[in-house]
Amino acid sequence: MSTDSNRRDFLKVTAAAGAALGLGVPGAAHALSPRPSANRAPAGQARTLLILGGTGFIGPYQVRSALAQGLEVTIFNRGSRPGMFEGVEELVGDRNGDFESLRGRTWDVVIDNSTARPDWVTSIGEFLRDSVGYFYYVSSRSAYASHSTVPMTSAVPSYTYETAGVDRATADITRLPYGLAKAESEREAMRIFPDRHGIFRPGLIIGPDDPTDRFTYWPVRIHRGGEVLSPGDGTDPVQIIDVRDLGDFMALSSDRGHTGIFNLVGPATPRPMAELLYGIRAVTTAETTFTWVPREFLAERGVRPYAEMPVWRPPTPGSEGFARFDLSNEVAHGMTFRSLADTTQATLDFHFSRTPERQAEMRPGLPAEREAEILREWHASR
């Protein structure tokens, strides 16, 4: 029998056993040969992982975690940052259809880090259908059209053309609203790999190398010291995800052959906004006080949650479960969470490693002058 025939037979067995595992069939974990997709590979037999991308923000942490997990890693991208990783095979191509470097190859797992293009998921998924055991798509909690359920749990994507108010017949699939695009991408992954998909829905991804500054604003602001404008009353819940925890869980899933839908946020018990800010302050030596300003007062002055006040998003009708995800399924599958102190220190170390010009360019959050102005107005109103 040819090598290609052996591979095709292996992939068929992988898919069948994955479906059996999902149904709880006894002995299913032992049905795979030669490389068990639901268990760690036998000693000395590393599993193979293809990462689409791998050189942006989350990709390098997936690569490092996978290598630490003992996986053999290949990355596929346009070759703009060659040589980032020692011991990693690099294949050059393009998500827009140049897949030639992937032709004739097989992997146990592929991780798709594409942003929000369902057509990209369709094209690469169809190309790799018979070449990979499992297809893992990095989606977003934005795939939920509503966060009204408390607590939130893993579920099929609820965003549809109808809930998004988009006409399917005339819509440009390359320019869909973000949540709808993620949900449609998930559906394509599920359609092409019905029993062999993993959908990973991170929330706000934070930590070292984050280019958005959405979490970085708070460690940097608190490190500066003084009176810190703090949003709401401190009780609004927060769930976020350290990029290293995301990478670790996806590497673990690749090693064990996890399937299904996973919400990648943390910690398992949502922390209040006050706990977040006080926890960050504990890492610094700055003399800092927090002044909590009601959301109504902030709204009157055009201060927006998640923008001028990063991370914070107070509950509104239909969003009560936004930061109240039930993570019992994820924890049962091995998800772990770094301490807030670890994330804060790593974020500060990263920030102060940047150029002075970039350090001064904090993208979200309130400029110092505007923060001081609002604080003066708040104190004067009392």
Side-chain angles (χ1 to χ4, degrees), residues 21-257:
L21 282 167
L23 295 173
V25 177
H30 304 289
L32 301 175
S33 176
R35 190 171 283 154
S37 294
N39 293 332
R40 180 182 297 276
Q45 191 173 20
R47 292 173 56 74
T48 57
L49 171 64
L50 171 65
I51 297 179
L52 306 180
T55 60
F57 171 34
I58 68 174
Y61 289 96
Q62 293 171 345
V63 171
R64 295 177 190 124
S65 294
L67 292 174
Q69 190 74 21
L71 280 70
E72 294 179 0
V73 180
T74 300
I75 60 175
F76 171 83
N77 53 53
R78 288 173 291 182
S80 58
R81 302 179 68 185
M84 282 188 67
F85 311 103
E86 183 178 350
V88 172
E89 180 184 26
E90 302 176 20
L91 300 180
V92 176
D94 194 287
R95 292 299 304 264
N96 285 314
D98 179 9
F99 304 144
E100 283 307 305
S101 62
L102 303 175
R103 191 175 300 280
R105 301 287 302 277
T106 56
W107 291 270
D108 294 319
V109 180
V110 58
I111 293 177
D112 184 353
N113 285 317
S114 64
T115 52
R117 289 281 299 271
D119 56 320
W120 282 5
V121 176
T122 302
S123 60
I124 195 68
E126 296 285 5
F127 187 88
L128 294 174
R129 186 199 298 265
D130 297 322
S131 302
V132 298
Y134 292 102
F135 186 94
Y136 288 171
Y137 177 65
V138 180
S139 183
S140 167
R141 67 180 168 193
S142 296
Y144 294 99
S146 171
H147 293 85
S148 60
T149 302
V150 181
M152 293 289 295
T153 57
S154 300
V156 297
S158 56
Y159 240 124
T160 65
Y161 280 89
E162 291 70 28
T163 56
V166 175
D167 185 349
R168 184 189 296 266
T170 60
D172 179 355
I173 197 170
T174 69
R175 296 180 179 275
L176 297 178
Y178 183 74
L180 175 60
K182 282 296 190 183
E184 287 297 294
S185 296
E186 291 185 11
R187 291 187 181 96
E188 283 300 280
M190 294 174 184
R191 177 185 67 82
I192 300 169
F193 300 89
D195 301 311
R196 298 183 285 139
H197 64 264
I199 305 297
F200 298 83
R201 295 174 178 161
L204 180 62
I205 306 172
I206 67 171
D209 296 310
D210 177 13
T212 71
D213 296 336
R214 289 178 294 179
F215 171 79
T216 308
Y217 169 82
W218 288 112
V220 170
R221 174 61 192 90
I222 291 169
H223 182 273
R224 194 170 76 233
E227 184 182 15
V228 177
L229 192 159
S230 309
D233 62 4
T235 64
D236 295 316
V238 174
Q239 282 182 312
I240 46 190
I241 181 73
D242 189 302
V243 65
R244 296 167 294 173
D245 293 333
L246 183 153
D248 287 349
F249 185 68
M250 296 202 69
L252 180 68
S253 297
S254 300
D255 187 41
R256 296 183 177 176

